[in-house]
Every structure is written in C-alpha cells, then in structure tokens.
Amino acid sequence: MRRTSRPHRVGRFYARRISIAGAAVGTTALALLLTTPSAQASPPTPVSAATARTYLGELTEKAEGSSDGYSRDKFPHWITQSGACNTREEVLKRDGKNVQTGSDCAATSGSWYSEYDGATWTASSDVDIDHVVPLSEAWKSGASAWTNDQRQGFANDLTRPQLIAVTDNVNQSKGDQDPAEWMPSRTAYTCTYLRMWVQVKHHYELSVDPAEKSAIASGLSGC
C-alpha cells in the first residue's frame, strides 16, 4: 500500500573534568564537552518477542476478508498533530537525524536511515512513511467495520510502532502485503518488524489469515 509520505540518532555527550592544582589559584576544573555521532531515533519500541508470540496466539485466525469498499480516503491521514505539524512531518522529525523544518513544519534538510533496506537519504522526498500494518490489510482484517474516527486513529498512530520512515520505492514495493508475502530485505530488522506487526494487530484486534500467522510464528521463533 502506497504511503503518502516520504536513523535515527540520539546525541550523547561525555564530560571530562580535569583538575589542576596551583598554589596561586588553587584547584580549578576544566570541563570538556565531547559529542559523538548521534544514534538513530525510531518508532516506539515494540513488545518483546516472547510477548509477540503470546499476542499472536491470541489473535483471531480467519481467511482474509474482502477489499470491497476499501479506499484510502476511509483512513484520513495525515492529520495535524501539533501546531503546523501533521503526522507525516512528526515521523520525519522523529526518525531522522539533524532534521530542520520550515515555518510550515516541512523538512528542509536532514538525513533518514531506512531500517527496511539499510539506505540513507538526505531528501525527505526520497522517504515514505510506511504503515507497518497497511491500511488495506487492516480493512481486510477487521477495520472495514470501524468508524471513520477509528480508522483515522489507526492511520495516524504515533503511540504504537505503526509508522516508520523508509525508502519510498521499498514502501511502494511492499504495498498491502503481509509478512507471508513481503518482509524487509534487511534481515537484521526481521524480528523488530514482526514484533511491530503483531503488537499493532493485537492492539486493534485485527485478525490474521493462516499463511500470515504461520510466517510470523516461523519468523518469531528465531528471535
């Protein structure tokens, strides 16, 4: 499913105090502040693999529903989150490094590391915001019965690990596929991605089809 948007590093500082004794001035302290490369930011940390396995067992297993009636317009996004910033812009700021924004909150510079394929981008136009559980997938696994407000909440959820900035064409290649059909090419992210997927589906009480459940169970067994 195409996302309409396009690592995340946390600065760490180390202080070292050097004391110099002197008869005239006594003991003085010199503080040196050293900055290391910042570590990537990220979506909210998903539940553990053990919890994900438990959650997976609690999900309703059933054949995937129909896409009849589905439209992205039934999942309103991106909504305003704060000030002039919408959901897409908030995720770009959260998942990027050294992100600068204009008065309209649009990213004007920065860099973004795509966890799905390991690529780094310096233009926000090269980055999409992926719905980990795609909107169409959600529709076919229970969201078709939700209200418009519920679908809006799902499509703009910054609390769960449902939104992540990734390479745009990778997001487009994923489309609305589930883990039985598509997984990030960067295998180091396999466990995290599956934990994210299960947590989101569990929170929203969405169903899983047999092939999807089998693929997730297999992937989580190695976590």
Side-chain angles (χ1 to χ4, degrees):
M1 175 181 345
R2 178 73 164 86
R3 313 292 177 264
T4 58
S5 81
R6 293 302 177 201
H8 23 258
R9 304 190 168 174
V10 176
R12 295 179 301 171
F13 300 92
Y14 300 89
R16 182 164 51 116
R17 184 173 297 277
I18 304 174
S19 296
I20 304 174
V25 298
T27 301
T28 62
L30 176 63
L32 302 178
L33 191 63
L34 305 178
T35 304
T36 62
S38 54
Q40 294 264 356
S42 60
T45 302
V47 296
S48 68
T51 299
R53 285 189 284 270
T54 298
Y55 281 3
L56 182 63
E58 295 172 352
L59 294 178
T60 298
E61 181 180 345
K62 58 189 289 188
E64 188 168 84
S66 171
S67 60
D68 289 352
Y70 168 72
S71 167
R72 288 180 64 80
D73 292 339
K74 293 183 178 179
F75 292 80
H77 64 290
W78 305 111
I79 63 171
T80 300
Q81 292 288 345
S82 63
C85 302
N86 65 26
T87 307
R88 174 185 183 274
E89 292 156 350
E90 290 289 357
V91 176
L92 286 174
K93 288 192 297 181
R94 182 197 70 191
D95 289 4
K97 176 189 175 185
N98 298 327
V99 177
Q100 300 297 314
T101 61
S103 59
D104 60 353
C105 202
T108 57
S109 64
S111 65
W112 292 268
Y113 175 79
S114 171
E115 293 283 10
Y116 287 1
D117 60 337
T120 297
W121 303 96
T122 56
S124 62
S125 58
D126 290 321
V127 179
D128 274 3
I129 305 305
D130 180 42
H131 290 97
V132 172
V133 176
L135 305 184
S136 178
E137 166 68 22
W139 178 270
K140 293 179 287 188
S141 53
S144 60
W146 294 353
T147 66
N148 212 51
D149 284 347
Q150 288 174 314
R151 289 191 288 265
Q152 176 177 289
F154 175 84
N156 298 276
D157 189 352
L158 295 172
T159 303
R160 260 73 44 185
Q162 162 66 343
L163 300 171
I164 182 172
V166 298
T167 302
D168 57 359
N169 64 341
V170 170
N171 179 50
Q172 293 156 28
S173 72
K174 171 185 172 179
D176 64 355
Q177 299 178 94
D178 67 35
E181 304 158 323
W182 186 93
M183 284 291 295
S185 61
R186 182 170 164 263
T187 56
Y189 207 62
T190 294
C191 287
T192 302
Y193 182 77
L194 292 175
R195 288 157 50 207
M196 294 164 76
W197 183 283
V198 173
Q199 181 178 347
V200 171
K201 279 221 159 179
H202 187 269
H203 176 80
Y204 287 99
E205 298 182 347
L206 296 170
S207 63
V208 288
D209 65 61
E212 174 190 358
K213 183 175 183 178
S214 177
I216 294 171
S218 177
L220 287 176
S221 68
C223 297

